[in-house]
């Protein structure tokens, strides 16, 4: 982005993950809170993208949500999904702006780790191609491990989302080591021409060292923003995060 003096300025896009608004609704299998309303408020607060994970078990976001979001979201939609035929069909029909491929296990509470891109380059390449044919950009959610970054490039995906989960959970001496892995993965990916996104477990405190990594263009943040929203409202919670980002 160029500022009014014609000088290039770095901006990080904020994708707001609203899955947990749907989690609250599904706790009663009812109608509220509605993630579609959440998306409107997140956009008012400055979200650059609405991120939702349509899980195979539909534990939070439902097909109906995605259909309505597609018609109402003004910024862009990042659909997180498993690389399986059912999801590829849904994405191809609805046309989110971005698909982020994630591993999925039914018994997990949240996405636990990155995709094993290195172990499934051929099948992921097929999925990436099908989505791109439908006009969708594709990112792979991977751990900050060089071989996973290289494999992601091989699949033809435009971007990687670096899993910041381990960094977010690290304490004490381990924090700087985890951060260094993210730095190196971001540098390697960018060198190979991949766009660099990051996310998982980021909050209003631990986000600072991550945004200092120059290659990162986009963050996807959910739980910490929705948690804060319980107390201050969603629009303000999003705005407060947005104000921390360059
Ligand atoms: N990015 C990906 C790929 C995810 O699976 C998730 C969790 O759904 C997030 C980002 C957001 O993580 P959190 O809710 O911890 O901010």
């Amino acid at each position: 982005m160029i500022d009014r003096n014609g000088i290039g300025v770095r901006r990080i896009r904020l994708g707001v993950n609203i899955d947990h608004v749907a989690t609250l609704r599904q706790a009663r299998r009812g109608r509220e809170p509605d993630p579609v309303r959440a998306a409107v408020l997140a956009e008012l607060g400055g979200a650059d993208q609405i991120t939702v994970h349509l899980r195979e078990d539909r534990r939070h976001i439902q097909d109906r949500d995605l259909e309505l979001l597609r018609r109402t979201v003004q910024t862009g939609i990042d659909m997180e999904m498993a690389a399986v035929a059912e999801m590829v069909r849904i994405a191809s029909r609805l046309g989110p702006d971005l698909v982020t491929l994630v591993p999925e296990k039914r018994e997990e509470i949240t996405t636990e780790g990155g995709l094993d891109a290195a172990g499934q380059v051929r099948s992921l390449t097929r999925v990436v191609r099908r989505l791109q044919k439908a006009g969708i950009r594709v990112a792979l959610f991977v751990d900050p491990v060089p071989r996973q970054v290289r494999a992601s490039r091989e699949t033809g995906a435009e971007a990687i989302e670096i899993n910041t989960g381990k960094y977010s959970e690290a304490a004490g001496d381990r924090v700087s080591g985890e951060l260094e892995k993210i730095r190196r993965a971001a540098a390697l990916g960018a060198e190979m021409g991949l766009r660099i996104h990051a996310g998982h477990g980021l909050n209003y405190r631990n986000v600072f060292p991550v945004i200092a990594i120059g290659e990162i263009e986009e963050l996807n943040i959910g739980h910490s923003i929705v948690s804060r929203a319980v107390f201050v409202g969603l629009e303000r919670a999003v705005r407060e995060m947005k104000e921390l980002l360059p």
Side-chain angles (χ1 to χ4, degrees), residues 27 46 51 55 69 127 134 148 161 164 168 177 179 192 213 216 224:
T51 301
R55 294 186 74 103
L69 287 168
V127 170
Q148 299 296 353
E161 179 172 326
T164 52
S168 302
L179 197 59
M192 291 189 304
I213 299 172
I216 293 178
S224 64

Side-chain angles (χ1 to χ4, degrees), residues 8 11 77 113 123 157 175 182 189 209 229:
R11 286 264 179 268
I77 294 181
S123 58
V175 176
I182 298 171

Side-chain angles (χ1 to χ4, degrees), residues 17 19 80 100 102 110-111 141 161 199-202 220-223:
N17 182 314
D19 291 349
E80 297 175 358
T100 301
V102 300
T110 180
T111 312
F141 181 63
E161 179 172 326
H200 213 277
L202 297 177
N220 287 296
I221 306 181
H223 191 264

Side-chain angles (χ1 to χ4, degrees), residues 14-201:
L14 174 61
V16 176
N17 182 314
I18 55 171
D19 291 349
H20 291 304
V21 175
T23 301
L24 195 55
R25 177 192 59 194
Q26 295 310 110
R28 288 289 170 91
R29 303 268 188 279
R31 293 158 67 103
E32 60 182 15
D34 192 330
V36 180
R37 290 190 184 179
V40 172
L41 291 173
E43 288 189 316
L44 277 173
D48 300 294
Q49 165 176 285
I50 301 300
T51 301
V52 284
H53 185 172
L54 187 68
R55 294 186 74 103
E56 291 182 270
D57 63 9
R58 308 296 198 274
R59 70 172 70 154
H60 39 54
I61 293 293
Q62 307 295 307
D63 299 61
R64 163 262 183 211
D65 300 328
L66 205 52
E67 307 223 356
L68 290 177
L69 287 168
R70 179 64 292 180
R71 284 191 263 153
T72 49
V73 165
Q74 305 273 331
T75 50
I77 294 181
D78 172 16
M79 177 182 174
E80 297 175 358
M81 58 177 235
V84 297
E86 181 201 11
M87 291 298 153
V88 172
R89 262 196 314 276
I90 294 173
S92 304
R93 184 168 59 78
L94 287 180
D97 303 271
L98 171 71
V99 156
T100 301
L101 296 174
V102 300
E104 211 173 281
K105 285 191 232 134
R106 276 181 190 254
E107 63 278 15
E108 69 191 357
I109 293 174
T110 180
T111 312
E112 282 170 357
L115 268 179
D116 178 18
Q120 42 181 340
V121 171
R122 281 178 61 169
S123 58
L124 285 174
T125 302
R126 275 197 298 275
V127 170
V128 168
R129 272 206 207 115
R130 279 199 57 191
L131 293 166
Q132 288 172 336
K133 259 192 167 168
I136 304 166
R137 289 180 292 118
V138 184
L140 303 192
F141 181 63
V142 290
D143 292 329
V145 172
R147 120 186 109 83
Q148 299 296 353
V149 177
R150 286 193 202 97
S152 301
R153 183 76 192 91
E154 279 180 54
T155 68
E158 286 91 343
I160 50 171
E161 179 172 326
I162 298 176
N163 179 9
T164 52
K166 280 230 174 83
Y167 157 73
S168 302
E169 284 166 15
D173 295 349
R174 289 187 40 238
V175 176
S176 58
E178 292 301 332
L179 197 59
E180 190 52 30
K181 287 183 203 163
I182 298 171
R183 262 193 221 108
R184 289 197 187 150
L188 176 63
E191 202 180 290
M192 291 189 304
L194 290 162
R195 320 299 305 232
I196 310 297
H197 308 165
H200 213 277

